[in-house]
Amino acid sequence: MSNPHEAFREEAYELLTSLESSLLELEESPDDLEIVGAVFRAMHTIKGSGAMFGFDDISSFTHDIETVYDLVRNGELAVTGALVSLSLAARDQIKAMLDATCGGDSCDATRTEELRGAFRALLPVKEDASAAAPGPGKVANPAAALQRTYRIRFRPNREIALSGTNPLCLLNELRELGKCQVVAQMDDVPPLADLDPEQTYAYWDVILTTGEDIDAIKDVFIFVEDDCHIQIDLIDDEELLGTDSSYKKLGDILIERGDLTPDALQEVLRQQKRVGEMLVEAKVVSPSKVASALAEQQQVKEIRSQQQQKQQGGDAASIRVPADRLDRLVDLVGEMVTIQSRLSQTALGREDAELISIAEEVERLTAELRDNTLNIRMLPIGTTFSKFKRLVRDLSQELGKEIELTTAGADTELDKTVIEKLNDPLVHIIRNSIDHGIEAPEKREAAGKKRQGTIRLAAIHSGDSVIIEIVDDGAGLNEEAIRRKAVEKGLVGEQELLSRHEVFQLIFAAGFSTAEKVTGVSGRGVGMDVVKRAIEALRGSIDIDSVAGQGTTIRVRIPLTLAIIDSLLVAIGEDCYVIPLSIVEECIELTRADVAASHGRNLVRVRDRLVPYVHLRDEFAIAGPPPEIEQVVITAVNGNQVGFVVDHVIGEHQTVIKSLGRMYRDVQGLSGATILGDGKVALILDIPQLIQRAEQLA
Amino acid sequence: MAKTILAADDSRSILQMVSFTLKGAGYAVVEAGDGQAALDLAKKQPFALVITDLNMPRMDGITLIQNLRTLPSYKFTPILMLTTEAGETFKTKGKAAGATGWLVKPFDPEKLLGVVKKLIG
């Protein structure tokens, strides 16, 4: 598009030319209102566009002439030869001013003032100069941070739609101002037969908490304020904050709004039920009015308690406790959970109804105690994020790179122990990104990227795990280099066919490093294999994806807690095993006939899909014949379904994880053990590892 | 699909600015040089919003608004008037004719977008 200033100038010159001929015509026929109108319009347009494109002097000068011609147009002033001459002079002056803006001779400002004075002299005394183009926009309110809560009742005129206003657009605009609750009042909507679809019957109560001032709210209704009933009341602000978070009672709110009389309230208060219900039953207010008042009550309460927390800075409301005491507490809760399951089992065995009901109560309380205790140990992951900021800053300076670390989801909570154990792997991954991922600024510029590289660290909740993503916009993994290296190290055969994903997985193999030179930052022989092992020790998983030239994404999935998990208890022969419930999708039956039909391929049909399965009885070499009908527990790890065949599925179980003794720590396929209600030990299956083992064997 | 807006103004520069601003925000814009041209265009296709200047040759903005409101398909269409006069009389006159809102010239592009958003979301 051409320069708008240029467009304005061109247009103005054209207008001035036609203005000149109009003025000359006007001299011939001073009574022709048509010509007066044309002169007025020319002036008007020059004024309007002039102000728009920053030609303020032209605009304000033209304003005075326009004012005079407005009077002429309305018959309050006669066209004289003198006025035409003056106008022609003014026209030349405007042209001179325009010329000056595009490098012509500078125009004579005193002449401008002279002409202006002459035009003003033509005006009646009560001229209103303030009508000159007002400045656009308003000054932003500097103290906008103060949160105030307003109650807005927006009752539009029934005809509002006929003027092209959509009330919903206005409500949406309010929503953008802050925390907002809208309650529609439909009392006035008539039955369908009487309803005129062109009319607006509904009206709205809005409770808005915003940092904007009341003018911003009024601005929303600027076009409709004359034909709508709009009432805006300040009902709460930070300065009014009391010591507790309670707020006015429902009845008081309704009375304050004029929806209810105090007498009517007293009348209904005599019966004792919830105020809202009583009022509605008594038909003194409609249910939607009560809903609206309740919305107000709730929002103000919420805001107040938030503010209180903010004021106390979270300090007064928390106490410091040595970590080992917490650990001890979690251990005790674990014991408790174990004992509780024993109690439940015993109670069921006794068939004593009273004992069973006590056991159930204990079960409920223990579950609550467990959740609360584990919650105590939850910390926002942001505490480690801030450490990484420093790391990135120092390392990038050392390596002469420009890197920005952005973080998201810092308030995502994880078990304290998990966060501690995550630190080293994350540091390693970020170091890798800085050292091998993000290129030097010059190299980035040559590749058409921003000089500054970005590393994004994000944590999000996903079911009972937290996913931590480390995304860089660096060079990405070099598929070919990884492959070459892997062949060199004898990890894969030269001719072996590997998918892109499989190639990337190779970097998790022991002692793998593709960087050509060893820097002080990374490449010290501690590779991604260590990272992977650390993550897996946390019962997590790690995945990598990369696009050459665009960057690398590493995704770490970590379970929320380590101590106690929900799981599925299964049995094979005499022994019980535990499968974490988070990865179990469903259980289906497997008959001898099914086994025979699959011709030893270990595939089972789940709806329309064939799912491979692992026969745990074979896997663990458990003696004895399997039952006639076995169960397949279908699990999903990294989006792949794999079934595990067991004898029986016993049911859900709260599992307190105990680590295995030193001797058994390296046994593949097991991640720990737990004690069952009857005192027996059940082994916890490490499903991802079992799947990996099965893949290797296949 | 982008919402289409009809903009009527006898000033090419204003029209250009309005058009540029709205197109930048993802709206489609059809331009008309005066009220009559705008009315003819409006009869041919529906618009989500009409933005009109008041002082225009052939047909002024108020007449355009009045004419549009008589068309069944423009009964509920938002109409925004652009005016150089800040006076109340113009707002009243415009509203009486059926205008939905107004914007005083000169305006900055942000303000125009704000108002357009208010009217058609």
Side-chain angles (χ1 to χ4, degrees), chain A residues 321-335 373-374 376-377 415-418 420 563:
Chain A
V321 175
D324 56 345
R325 283 201 206 165
L326 270 187
D327 292 347
R328 178 82 192 119
L329 180 64
V330 172
D331 282 350
L332 285 172
V333 170
E335 297 293 330
T373 313
L374 293 182
I376 297 175
R377 289 162 50 105
D415 193 281
K416 178 178 147 292
T417 345
V418 179
E420 279 161 11

Side-chain angles (χ1 to χ4, degrees), chain B residues 83-110:
Chain B
T83 156
T84 327
E85 355 276 324
E88 280 298 316
T89 45
F90 274 87
K91 290 177 194 169
T92 325
K93 244 165 95 184
K95 287 224 75 166
T100 315
W102 58 87
L103 190 59
V104 177
K105 289 191 273 192
F107 54 84
D108 68 312
E110 282 307 310

Side-chain angles (χ1 to χ4, degrees), chain A residues 201-215:
Chain A
Y201 298 98
Y203 62 99
W204 293 271
D205 284 341
V206 182
I207 308 298
L208 174 69
T209 304
T210 176
E212 304 280 338
D213 60 6
I214 196 159
D215 288 340

Side-chain angles (χ1 to χ4, degrees), chain A residues 1 7 11 41 44-45 47 49 51-53 161-165 169-170 173 176 198 219-220 223 227, chain B residues 10-14 16-17 20 55-57 69 75-76 78 84-85 95 100-102 106-107 115 117-118:
Chain A
M1 148 179 178
E11 183 182 62
R41 266 205 310 279
H44 181 79
T45 306
K47 174 185 112 177
S49 320
M52 196 95 157
F53 298 105
L162 292 166
S163 67
T165 305
C169 286
L170 301 179
E173 215 181 322
E176 282 171 19
E198 291 185 357
D219 259 4
V220 170
F223 297 149
D227 35 30
Chain B
D10 59 335
S11 156
R12 263 206 327 274
S13 55
I14 298 269
Q16 207 174 47
M17 175 167 182
F20 183 70
N55 275 294
M56 291 183 290
R69 285 290 181 228
K75 227 168 165 175
F76 304 108
T84 327
E85 355 276 324
K95 287 224 75 166
T100 315
W102 58 87
F107 54 84
V115 171
K117 198 159 168 255
K118 184 198 284 291

